[in-house]
Structures are given as C-alpha cells and as structure tokens.
C-alpha cells in the first residue's frame, strides 16, 4: 500500500508526459463521437490511448521513473476514458443508461473510501489483478460496441464480442470494488488510527 512516506515527486518525466497526452484525448474522443460522429477517428483515439496506457507503465519501470504524479495520472486517465466512453455511447443510444451509470457509481463509492484510508496513514490501495482485468475488459468492450453501431456483418460481430467484454468487465469492476472495500475494512480493523502531528 502507498503510504505518506517520502516518494518520487518528479513531475516532468516521459511516462507522465504520455499520461498527460492521454488525458488530452478524452475531450477529443467525446467531440468525435457526439459532434461529427466520426467513429473511425474516435476508435483511433481509443487505440492510441490503450497503447500509451501500456507504454507509460512500461517506461516508468524501465527508466525508473515511477512517480507520485504518475501513480495518480494513470488511473485517473483510465477512469476518465471509461466515463467519456460510457457517456458518449449512452447519448448515442449504443448502450443503456443503467450500464453508463453503474461504472461511475462504483468509482464514487471507491473515492468515498479514501478519507477512511487517510485515518490510517494510507493514500491508496494496491491495484490488484482483478481491477486490471476489469479495466482491460471495459477498454476492449466499448470500442467494439462503438464499432457495432451499424448493420453489416462486421458490426454485428463487434456487437456480440463487445457485449461479452462489457458484461464481464462490469462484473469484474464491481467485484474488484467489493474487494477494495473489504481491504479497507480489514485495514481499519487491524491498524491504529494515525496520530496527528503538530504543525511547526
């Protein structure tokens, strides 16, 4: 788990620059989907986002540039892309609104756990495989569902595979959330509250 101990506070690193560029693609994606409805270019933005998501993590480890800013930017970019995609697809009537609402609702519940973590001196929980698998499924599901917004055979196949990824992704997303909440509960039960330090 990440503590408040001294960590790498660099901002200007190559992985952080990639994460920032990925964040800049969020409004571009929404404009492409909701404005001119250029789905092909929107899919390109998602593909580039997926590539940089892998690349920034790999470079951070390879170049020893794992930083506090990067640990924040990377999951924030993932969540914003998921949020942007579900809003865009829901407004286009590609996915139902219950699906679009269920994902940010889970994230809101997770953010609500952060103040509890801080009482024990922690700022975040470790990212486990289940959460990564959920994000992986969702980041594949929504481009396929966008590609499936048509009537030809390719669109139909994309829709089938897209919904398969989406159903698994939503299930894993919430399952990971339950596990995070359980981890917080165990931490609160077994760790003494952090004592406040006097401000000099």
């Amino acid at each position: 788990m990440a503590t408040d101990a001294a960590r790498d506070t660099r901002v200007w690193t190559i992985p952080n620059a990639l994460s920032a560029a990925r964040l800049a693609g969020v409004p571009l994606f929404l404009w492409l989907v909701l404005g001119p409805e250029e789905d092909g270019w929107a899919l390109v933005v998602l593909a580039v986002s997926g590539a940089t998501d892998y690349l920034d993590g790999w470079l951070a480890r390879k170049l020893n540039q794992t930083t506090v800013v990067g640990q924040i930017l990377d999951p924030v970019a993932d969540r914003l892309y998921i949020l942007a995609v579900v809003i865009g697809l829901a407004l286009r009537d590609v996915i139902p609104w219950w699906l679009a609402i269920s994902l940010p609702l889970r994230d809101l519940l997770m953010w609500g756990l952060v103040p509890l973590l801080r009482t024990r001196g922690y700022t975040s929980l470790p990212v486990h495989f289940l959460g990564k698998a959920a994000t992986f499924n969702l980041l594949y599901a929504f481009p396929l569902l966008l590609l499936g917004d048509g009537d030809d055979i390719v669109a139909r196949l994309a829709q089938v595979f897209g919904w398969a990824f989406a159903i698994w992704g939503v299930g894993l997303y919430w399952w990971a959330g339950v596990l995070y909440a359980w981890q917080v509960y165990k931490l609160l039960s077994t760790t003494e509250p952090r004592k406040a330090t006097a401000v000099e």
Side-chain angles (χ1 to χ4, degrees), residues 64-86:
N64 193 26
Q65 293 184 351
T66 301
T67 64
V68 176
V69 172
Q71 290 172 341
I72 294 172
L73 281 180
D74 190 53
V76 165
D78 285 342
R79 298 300 179 269
L80 285 178
Y81 264 103
I82 291 173
L83 181 62
V85 172
V86 296

Side-chain angles (χ1 to χ4, degrees), residues 91-112:
L91 289 172
R92 286 270 301 271
D93 293 323
V94 175
I95 63 173
W97 275 103
W98 67 261
L99 176 58
I101 293 172
S102 68
L103 298 176
L105 178 61
R106 180 268 195 188
D107 287 334
L108 282 175
L109 293 175
M110 293 302 98
W111 289 335

